[in-house]
């Protein structure tokens, strides 16, 4: 339902409605350009976050859950069965309240564990727990970052953009940190 | 320089050389299939890790540094200049001994910071430090994992495979962890 009269450029003092509309456009841009979310999905996210019956937590969740999670697990691969049971066992060890098994990220975890299993790398709950604990610490940093934004709307937009944009930041810091730790353990001190 | 007589299948007791050769093949497979490293680069990595003058730390480094780091920074974009100065300032705050500025991961960091800057997200050293500290903790988990492998050769192979294969594991755990932290801060307790 297009509302052309409301999308025209506001030059002087922007009305309250104009600000909100610009933020919606920025969120759609963040979803599509940064999150590589399909246009139809971006529209569903907008509907969800405009739903007044949802609290702030569920609006943030709707936005982040819309982000793509890579290839779905290949159910014809026997390694997927092993990976799924490892992922389920990990969930039992974590005290997370949300049902991760229904989250799109669960498929991403199963796919990743399948690749490890297929290459012969043992990866059980004991191996995964340190990474889950680090994810918890990262999430604290992520939410601290979100809370720097004043309005709930800006926070929802930032949740999408920063979840995606901080992924390469984190991965680009992990490799030199590995080199640092390797030097500490195996280096000749040079 | 092909050595066909040494690549034939060894059926019964594998000789010492056979084991080493099989490990090399697995490393090449890990680099190409898992790390998406070009064949010529994989060959350079093999040369580096077969170099007896290198210690274990430098062999691990040669393997991990060969991994692709995504698109190079776009030097024609003014946002890249800002991002590079942020990345350099971050390095000055970290006590890492290695020269990160010469590492291929540095370009990956600059590219990621450029995207943040271009979308108007302020991202300075204070924002990045918590992520660098988390990367240090992750690196401890990564090296603990490596040290489960007995031989230095297996560790080099695992460094490549696990650096790459744990990336989606980590990212898939971060999103539900964010949801957990969001629920803690904003949830209605339901």
């Amino acid at each position: 339902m297009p509302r052309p009269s409301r999308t025209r450029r506001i030059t002087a003092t922007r009305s309250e409605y104009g600000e909100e509309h610009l933020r919606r456009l920025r969120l759609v841009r963040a979803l599509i350009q940064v999150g590589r979310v399909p246009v139809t999905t971006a529209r569903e996210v907008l509907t969800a976050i405009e739903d007044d019956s949802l609290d702030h937590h569920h609006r943030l969740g709707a936005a982040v859950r819309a982000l793509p999670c890579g290839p779905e697990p290949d159910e014809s691969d026997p390694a997927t069965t092993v990976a799924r049971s490892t992922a389920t066992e990990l969930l039992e060890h974590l005290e997370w309240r949300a049902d991760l098994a229904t989250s799109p990220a669960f498929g991403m975890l199963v796919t990743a564990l399948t690749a490890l299993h297929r290459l012969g790398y043992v990866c059980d709950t004991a191996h995964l727990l340190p990474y889950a604990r680090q994810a918890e610490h990262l999430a604290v940093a992520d939410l601290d970052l979100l809370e720097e934004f004043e309005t709930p709307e800006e926070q929802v937009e930032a949740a999408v953009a920063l979840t995606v944009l901080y992924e390469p930041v984190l991965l680009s810091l992990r490799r030199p940190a590995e080199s640092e730790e390797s030097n500490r353990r195996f280096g000749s001190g040079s």
Side-chain angles (χ1 to χ4, degrees), chain A:
Chain A
M1 199 164 63
R3 293 180 287 192
S5 68
R6 284 174 168 172
T7 58
R8 69 159 182 268
R9 196 130 66 133
I10 300 160
T11 46
T13 320
R14 284 166 176 164
S15 70
E16 194 57 33
Y17 182 84
E19 283 289 0
E20 192 184 319
H21 189 70
L22 286 174
R23 270 199 306 267
R24 290 279 181 277
L25 286 178
R26 289 216 335 173
L27 174 58
V28 170
R29 191 178 65 164
L31 281 166
I32 295 171
Q33 289 183 7
V34 183
R36 302 185 188 284
V37 166
V39 175
T40 48
T41 311
R43 215 171 275 148
E44 286 165 23
V45 175
L46 275 193
T47 309
I49 66 162
E50 283 170 351
D51 181 350
D52 283 342
S53 69
L54 291 180
D55 63 18
H56 189 44
H57 165 62
H58 285 95
R59 286 183 181 182
L60 288 173
V64 172
R65 284 171 75 107
L67 294 170
C69 285
E72 283 287 303
D74 174 4
E75 299 299 342
S76 70
D77 186 337
T80 300
T81 313
V82 182
R84 189 178 296 279
S85 94
T86 305
T88 308
E89 201 186 299
L90 174 67
L91 296 194
E92 289 168 7
H93 276 74
L94 295 167
E95 305 88 45
W96 295 354
R97 295 177 57 177
D99 186 7
L100 177 54
T102 66
S103 134
F106 186 71
M108 188 177 173
L109 177 62
V110 172
T111 300
L113 297 183
T114 302
L116 279 159
H117 187 72
R118 212 185 286 126
L119 278 165
Y121 289 103
V122 175
C123 180
D124 54 23
T125 300
H127 291 100
L128 292 169
L129 266 178
Y131 291 88
R133 296 299 173 216
Q134 287 312 312
E136 288 174 340
H137 291 298
L138 285 168
V140 172
D142 292 337
L143 271 287
D144 285 350
L145 218 55
L146 272 202
E147 294 214 65
E148 290 188 13
F149 294 86
E150 277 182 28
T151 68
E153 287 74 19
E154 285 173 308
Q155 290 185 7
V156 172
E157 181 199 314
V160 170
L162 300 181
T163 293
V164 174
L165 291 169
Y166 269 76
E167 290 186 349
V169 170
L170 180 64
L171 300 183
S172 70
L173 289 168
R174 176 175 166 241
R175 293 188 192 176
E178 285 181 347
S179 168
E180 209 56 27
E181 182 65 18
S182 155
N183 190 38
R184 209 179 59 75
R185 298 192 192 195
F186 309 121
S188 53
S190 65

